[in-house]
Every structure is written in C-alpha cells, then in structure tokens.
C-alpha cells in the first residue's frame, strides 16, 4: 500500500517525551509548524529547556515518575506519543549497564503503562542502528539479524520487543525508527550534547578552536581510506520521517519498523576533509587505535520507508549537513548556553 499521497491529516495532540533533546526538539518544531498541538516532557538530564519553543508546554519531570506522567496524561488527551528519552552513549552503557536498562527499558515501561491506562495506543519510538551490531549485509535492511554488541543497543532492542508484546496484549501500535547518525541543524536548533561524542560536532569544535585536534580511531579498516564509514542523516530529514510515520501509523493502524539513514556512507577522513572545505579551516587529527566493537561500515538501507511512505532525504549531501551544523555552531558558540555543555 502506498501512503505517500494520503497524508492530509487533521491536527493531533502529541506528547513528545525527550523533546528538549537534540532530535526531539527538531521534531517538536516540525510538528508545531504543521499545526499539531505538542506537549513536551523531559527531565532535562541531557536536554535544554531553551531548545523547546516558548509557546510549547514543557513539563519537567521523569518518564519513570508514574504520578508525574499520570498528571500530564490527565491534563491533555493525547492522540499519540513520541518517545525520544534515552541515555545513548555506547561507551557509558558498557560502564553503567544497569543505569541504561533502568532508564531506557524500565522507565519506558512506566510510559507504556501510563499510555495503556489513558487509552493512548500510538507510539513512535527512537530506535537505533546499534540494535544490529556488526552487520552481515550492508546497506542494512530492517530484517537483518539483530545482535547488539553493547548494553545501549540491547536496551533499545529489548524495548522494541516489549512494544511487540504490548501490541499483542492491548493493541499498542508502534513505529520504531532506527536512526543511523543524526547530524545537522536548523538556524534555531542544533546539537549540544555534554559530553559530545558525535563526530561532526567534535570536528566542528576543532574548526572553531575549542579543541586542539580530533582522534581518528583506526585507519586499518577494510575501507578505501582505512577509516570507518558511517551514514549521516540530516535531522530535518529525520523529523520529516517522524511526521510521515505518525500519519501512516494512524491510517494503517498497524506497527511499522524503518531504518533511517542517508543510504550513503562517508568515512571519518571524508567527514574531516569536507568539514575543512565547509569551514575554510584546517582540522588537525591524529590516528589512534581502533575502538572495541566499532564495525568498519554502518550504512542503512532506507528503501522500505522510501517505498512505503515516500520519504526521501532532502539533504543527502555531507557538505550541506555539515554546513548547517557549522552555521548553528557559529551562531551559538556556547550551544544553548545553559551550562549543559
Ligand atoms: P538527547 O540526549 O539529545 O535527547 C534525549 C532527551 O531525553 C534529553 O533531552 C534528555 O534530557 C531526555 N531524557 C532522557 N531520559 C529521560 C527520562 N528518564 N525522563 C525524561 N527525559 C529523559 O539525544 P538525541 O541525540 O536527541 O537522541 C534522541 C533519541 O534518539 C534517543 O533515544 C537516542 O537513543 C536515539 N538515537 C539517536 C541517534 C543520534 O545520532 N543522535 C542515533 C540513533 C538513535
């Protein structure tokens, strides 16, 4: 069935959990631009109140707090929920697995329980390429084997499985969107993580003179220049995919699973060289050892969402993605300037 041309939907009331974070805040802006009524819940552990537009209600609290969530659900009658809340640092997840399972699975269960109690049956969930682990097939399709290699990836896979159980038990309908590497910005909203571990903002920090250099983890991979290849998707393209998935979820009343990437891979050195061209600055780097568990190539097949929902990346060029992130970084040298950096 083709959903690409059937998206004229009425305005909905949507809870965005984790809407003060990087991707969530951009999705909030997109939903609000389309006339949907959006409410944000975020504990601000990793997000920024300033990333939420002034006119959007922001309820500061934890999705694991039953009483808090109940009050929010009682105040608004939501049509659907988008769930961006997570701890999402792979290395940290290896050090602190219990915190990851507690936050990404345990607290998510409270959100699901509250949805069930308030009769909300539609959920969009932020999943990840990390559920696949070391891929056997590249580009990675949705039905590729799922063998996560760290607690972060496992926490997301477990939650996907919980969603299937809830579908069988009480009719939950979920769209799991497995993002590869989100990158880029709009003039208003960008990436401000603390600590920052993502390649593009780190490289731009070097360009901006905030870090002396960047370490490339391994240059002996079986790739053309020896460095790892990753798939970078512009957050605005991600945000549009959320809107398409939401509409399809409600129209089809059936669950959806989509991998979301650019479909094109770029090596670490290509990212550095492209950032040098975009910024006009030299970006010094040194070669370090490989990191354990880093696959050589991670590229998504986004064919399913392209075919079924008519999604297509509008910003597939790496230079455009980096340029948007650079523009935001220059306009916001201290990020959101709230000390979370
Ligand atoms: P982010 O850390 O910027 O946003 C997550 C938000 O959730 C933060 O604002 C944080 O304060 C909030 N949060 C976390 N736990 C919470 C809790 N228990 N209760 C209430 N709020 C809570 O992360 P992001 O980069 O925007 O990623 C969003 C989602 O997408 C995450 O689930 C992440 O795992 C997933 N993802 C991100 C990427 C990426 O490239 N950034 C790739 C794949 C998947």
């Amino acid at each position: 069935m083709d959903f690409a041309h059937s998206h004229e939907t009425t305005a909905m009331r949507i809870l965005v959990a984790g809407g003060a974070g990087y991707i969530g805040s951009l999705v909030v802006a997109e939903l609000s631009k389309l006339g949907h009524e959006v409410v944000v819940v975020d504990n601000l552990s990793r997000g920024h109140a300033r990333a939420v537009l002034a006119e959007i209600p922001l309820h500061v609290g934890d999705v694991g707090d039953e009483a808090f969530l109940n009050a929010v659900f009682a105040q608004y009658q939501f049509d659907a929920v988008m769930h961006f809340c997570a701890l999402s640092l792979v290395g940290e997840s290896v050090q602190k697995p219990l915190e990851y399972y507690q936050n990404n699975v345990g607290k998510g269960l409270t959100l699901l329980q509250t949805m069930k109690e308030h009769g909300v049956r539609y959920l969009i969930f932020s999943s990840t390429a990390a559920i696949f682990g070391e891929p056997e097939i590249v580009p990675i399709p949705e039905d590729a084997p799922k063998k996560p290699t760290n607690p972060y990836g496992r926490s997301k896979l477990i939650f996907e499985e919980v969603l299937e159980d809830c579908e069988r038990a009480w009719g939950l309908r979920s769209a799991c969107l497995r993002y590869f590497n989100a990158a880029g910005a709009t003039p208003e909203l960008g990436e401000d993580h603390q600590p920052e571990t993502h390649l593009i903002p780190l490289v731009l920090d070097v360009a901006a003179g905030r870090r002396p250099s960047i370490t490339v983890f391994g240059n002996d991979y079986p790739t053309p220049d020896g460095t790892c290849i990753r798939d970078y998707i512009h957050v605005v393209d991600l945000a549009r995919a959320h809107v398409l998935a939401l509409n399809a979820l409600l129209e089809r009343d059936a669950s959806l699973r989509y991998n979301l990437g650019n479909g094109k891979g770029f090596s670490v050195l290509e990212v550095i060289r492209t950032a040098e061209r975009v910024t006009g600055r030299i970006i010094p780097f040194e070669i370090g050892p490989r990191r354990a568990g880093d696959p050589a190539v991670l590229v998504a097949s986004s064919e399913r969402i392209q075919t079924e929902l008519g999604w297509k990346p509008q910003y597939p060029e790496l230079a455009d993605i980096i340029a948007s992130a650079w523009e935001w970084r220059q306009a916001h040298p201290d990020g959101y300037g709230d000390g979370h950096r």
Side-chain angles (χ1 to χ4, degrees), residues 18 20-24 41-48 61-64 83-88 103 107 126-129 152 156 179-182 191 193 198:
Y22 170 44
I23 303 169
V41 157
D42 200 298
N43 65 7
L44 300 182
S45 60
R46 307 256 156 136
H48 312 270
D62 200 290
V63 289
H83 178 32
F84 293 90
C85 301
L87 298 176
S88 54
N103 196 71
K107 291 181 174 185
S126 299
S127 191
T128 167
Y152 167 62
K156 292 285 186 174
Y179 321 146
F180 281 57
N181 296 277
E191 187 164 14
H193 286 126
H198 295 140

Side-chain angles (χ1 to χ4, degrees), residues 258-273:
Y258 292 123
N259 291 356
L260 267 171
N262 202 339
K264 263 196 271 178
F266 300 97
S267 75
V268 177
L269 287 184
E270 279 179 286
V271 170
I272 294 174
R273 300 289 180 230

